[in-house]
Amino acid sequence: MPDISTTMIIVLCAAAAAAGWIDAVVGGGGLLLLPALLLGLPNAQPAAVLGTNKAVAIVGTAGAAVTYARKTAVDVKLAVRIGLAALAGSMGGAALAGGISKDAMRPLIMGVLVVVAAVVIFKPGFGAAPSASPVSRNRVLLTIALAGLGIGCYDGLIGPGTGTFLVLALTALLHLDLVTASATAKIVNCCTNAGALAMFAYQGMVFWQLAALMAVFNLAGGMVGARMALKKGSGFVRGVLLTVVGALVVKLGLEQWG
């Protein structure tokens, strides 16, 4: 356990619970959890902060995935296929991170987010209900390429909002409702988080005791969030989605021009 005050441990546990809730509903819990860890561990190596973040997040994500799988129809095999592609994409993105300017990419990502927000706002039916027609094999392959490799690469290259992008991509490409898309995204996130955590653990860059404590709260928040999303439906998820997209635009803007 790093040298940290009791007050800060309480703050971090509260942040973990809130991040688990956000992540379970629509993704994007890292927007809250990672800054909280950076605040609470100012002297830690960045890799140790990232590793601890992954160790916490994977528990809440797995709990939310199980909760969703018990209550809604999720194509687990397809989700795992997308997840494995995302794992490969994230490794590639991490390898490219040193050679691509993130300052040049952030405005592009922000533009995409603004367009996404406009679609969600002006198309109230987006993700409200699944399509009745079956999804073609070519569309499935496109989803694996874009939602798996593409968003996985983004995760390794930049990171924030990966879960949110997954929900949006799965809704648009597979014509899922937002609740089912969020459930599927949790399984994909488990795959990418597991790969990243294994690498950080191998490097000794995880504060396991702190992560274990925070993971309990993250798990509780994730399970509550998944149950709320299932109970309240796509309209509720849509509202949280717009809030998280707005927060992500602000975060990227501050990093770019703040």
Side-chain angles (χ1 to χ4, degrees):
M1 178 79 78
D3 185 15
I4 184 171
S5 68
T6 302
T7 300
M8 183 52 68
I9 290 176
I10 293 172
V11 170
L12 288 176
C13 287
W21 186 90
I22 294 170
D23 224 21
V25 176
V26 76
L31 295 171
L32 177 60
L33 186 57
L34 190 56
L37 281 167
L38 289 170
L39 177 65
L41 303 170
N43 299 318
Q45 296 182 53
V49 175
L50 291 170
T52 304
N53 173 65
K54 289 297 183 185
V56 175
I58 193 172
V59 175
T61 301
V66 171
T67 301
Y68 275 120
R70 287 176 175 174
K71 300 290 185 179
T72 189
V74 182
D75 189 336
V76 176
K77 290 183 179 179
L78 176 59
V80 171
R81 289 166 66 191
I82 298 171
L84 292 175
L87 175 59
S90 66
M91 293 174 67
L96 293 171
I100 296 178
S101 171
K102 294 182 182 179
D103 289 340
M105 290 196 65
R106 286 193 192 103
L108 175 62
I109 300 300
M110 290 169 64
V112 171
L113 284 169
V114 170
V115 171
V116 164
V119 170
V120 175
I121 290 171
F122 294 110
K123 290 189 67 175
F126 180 78
S131 172
S133 58
V135 178
S136 67
R137 182 174 180 273
N138 287 340
R139 185 168 285 272
V140 170
L141 293 175
L142 179 63
T143 303
I144 292 173
L146 294 182
L149 288 172
I151 295 177
C153 184
Y154 168 82
D155 191 17
L157 192 63
I158 297 179
T162 297
T164 306
F165 277 122
L166 281 172
V167 172
L168 292 166
L170 293 170
T171 302
L173 294 172
L174 297 180
H175 304 306
L176 303 176
D177 63 90
L178 286 170
V179 173
T180 306
S182 188
T184 307
K186 297 295 130 338
I187 299 174
V188 177
N189 268 162
C190 282
C191 295
T192 56
N193 284 343
L197 178 59
M199 182 59 68
F200 285 123
Y202 176 76
Q203 296 171 343
M205 291 297 176
V206 181
F207 293 122
W208 289 109
Q209 288 180 305
L210 177 61
L213 179 61
M214 293 175 64
V216 173
F217 290 86
N218 191 253
L219 175 62
M223 294 179 73
V224 170
R227 288 193 178 100
M228 287 185 68
L230 288 166
K231 182 179 180 180
K232 294 180 178 294
S234 294
F236 170 72
V237 176
R238 182 173 177 270
V240 178
L241 174 64
L242 287 172
T243 301
V244 173
V245 167
L248 184 55
V249 170
V250 171
K251 175 180 171 59
L252 292 173
L254 290 174
E255 289 179 351
Q256 181 75 13
W257 298 294

